[in-house]
Amino acid sequence: MKRIFTMLLMTVLMAGSVFAAGQQEAAAPASDADAKANLEASKAIDISDVRGSDGQLLLIYGDTRPVPAKPADQEALDMWKLEYAGRQTKKVDMIPSAGTGVIGKKIIMIMQSEHPYWTAVANGSRIACEAYMAEFEMWNPNGDLNQQNQYVDRAIAEKADIVLLASLDAKASVQQFKKLYDAGIPAIAYNMIPNDDAMRYVLAITAPDDFGQFKMLAEHMAKDVGGKGGVGYITHIPGGSPYYARTTNVVEYYKKNYPDMKTLDIQSPGFDAPKTKQVVADWVTRFGDELTCIVVSDDSAQGLGVSQALEEAGRSDVYVIAAGNSKVGMDLVKAGKIDAITFQSAEADGAVPIKVAADYFNGVDLGSNAAFYLPQAVITPENVDSFMPAQW
């Protein structure tokens, strides 16, 4: 496919193509005729079988749940604002697409930090940009907000066609996205959803639907255990969106749909296997057979701690679910030590915003509050092999 589109570009772009270090860079269309030809070539690209390193389809959108009416209760309203962040923001007029096609466009992705997950995110972006024949640069500030701000300025100076930004700070994101907007550069917020003030300047958001996928996972466990059980929760960092998505969200889901799934305890040991192990060992002693289910916010360190405690206590009867899907977590599922985890493709986290950018450049109407979530699935011992090898 790449050779076919290289030939197309050579014929439709007056300036031709530039080859450097094995990376094709297509010149911008020089006339209306070239722009039209570039658009047609871009639309003709077949992405239907582009896959990640785990063999899963990469350039597809997950389900976007409809936004329900705002609840009157303040506590419920606070949860609603987290779950549906950015979905009903009153925005400024978005920068219109020129509709000249994605081929040759300069896409700059600004990441957050050095971590195996982010390495996989970058890999997904590269796969997607190669498929779309777009230029791609990935800049990593390694957790430094000042450096990330400098990268925003650099993207403006380099006249990026679009910027994909995973902001390190909610307050700082307002100025970051406004700067890009004022410079006439459309921006997509990916991985982390910014606050409403920043969302006013954001073309679209792409992210895992943490709330939705944990409802799916909670439903899976409830059905498997007959809708009745005593549940212990190992949380994410208190106060952040993942804490509410992976704990409070599930507690409330069970209250509404499975009232016999009773909460026994909620603990926050951090991402520390020994501390998690101690929490679960204490639960086994304290609750005995009343403890039948555990919801875990992390399938790696926390997952290891939970599985070790249950194994040492001889409690293979306890049903365990967790946020996934790291190699550690999938190995635990394969070994039967965790019953189910979420599928959250790190490569899709990088590829889906590229797809949104491509749709934008190809003239697709994204809508006023565009939200594109990653595909979802529940990984179990029965299907875990189909998600191997792990991306991180």
Side-chain angles (χ1 to χ4, degrees), residues 67-249:
V67 181
K70 289 184 180 180
D73 175 73
Q74 185 59 50
E75 185 175 349
L77 179 60
D78 290 342
M79 282 288 290
W80 181 92
K81 289 179 178 178
L82 285 171
E83 185 167 356
Y84 301 102
R87 297 286 303 279
Q88 293 192 331
T89 306
K90 292 183 179 179
K91 296 185 177 183
V92 298
D93 292 336
M94 289 292 98
I95 299 168
S97 169
T100 55
V102 66
I103 293 175
K105 290 298 188 292
K106 184 173 184 176
I107 300 175
I108 293 177
M109 171 174 275
I110 302 176
M111 306 179 80
Q112 285 193 338
S113 63
E114 293 289 345
H115 185 278
Y117 183 89
W118 285 103
T119 301
V121 169
N123 189 50
S125 299
R126 290 189 185 97
I127 293 171
C129 279
E130 181 176 348
Y132 283 118
M133 300 179 66
E135 296 182 37
F136 174 68
E137 292 185 31
M138 183 273 291
W139 301 339
N140 194 330
N142 199 21
D144 185 329
L145 180 59
N146 289 331
Q147 181 64 67
Q148 189 175 66
N149 288 334
Q150 290 174 31
Y151 281 152
V152 170
D153 292 338
R154 179 179 164 190
I156 293 170
E158 294 192 11
K159 302 185 185 305
D161 288 306
I162 198 165
V163 170
L164 317 179
L165 175 61
S167 186
L168 282 164
D169 182 86
K171 290 182 179 179
S173 70
V174 180
Q175 187 61 25
Q176 290 174 331
F177 284 108
K178 186 177 186 302
K179 265 190 175 184
L180 291 164
Y181 179 85
D182 289 344
I185 298 175
I188 294 171
Y190 76 101
N191 181 264
M192 301 293 284
I193 299 174
N195 61 29
D196 274 357
D197 288 337
M199 278 300 303
R200 295 180 65 233
Y201 308 101
V202 173
L203 179 68
I205 55 176
T206 72
D209 181 5
D210 221 8
F211 283 86
Q213 65 189 10
F214 255 78
K215 285 182 172 69
M216 179 189 296
L217 192 62
E219 176 71 16
H220 178 88
M221 180 168 74
K223 285 184 174 179
D224 266 11
V225 301
K228 184 177 182 178
V231 189
Y233 294 86
I234 301 293
T235 82
H236 204 277
I237 299 169
S241 178
Y243 172 89
Y244 295 103
R246 302 176 189 185
T247 299
T248 312
N249 175 44

Side-chain angles (χ1 to χ4, degrees), residues 5 8-9 12 36-45 103:
F5 279 94
L8 273 169
L9 280 174
V12 304
K36 183 177 179 181
N38 197 66
L39 177 61
E40 292 305 312
S42 296
K43 287 182 174 180
I45 295 174
I103 293 175

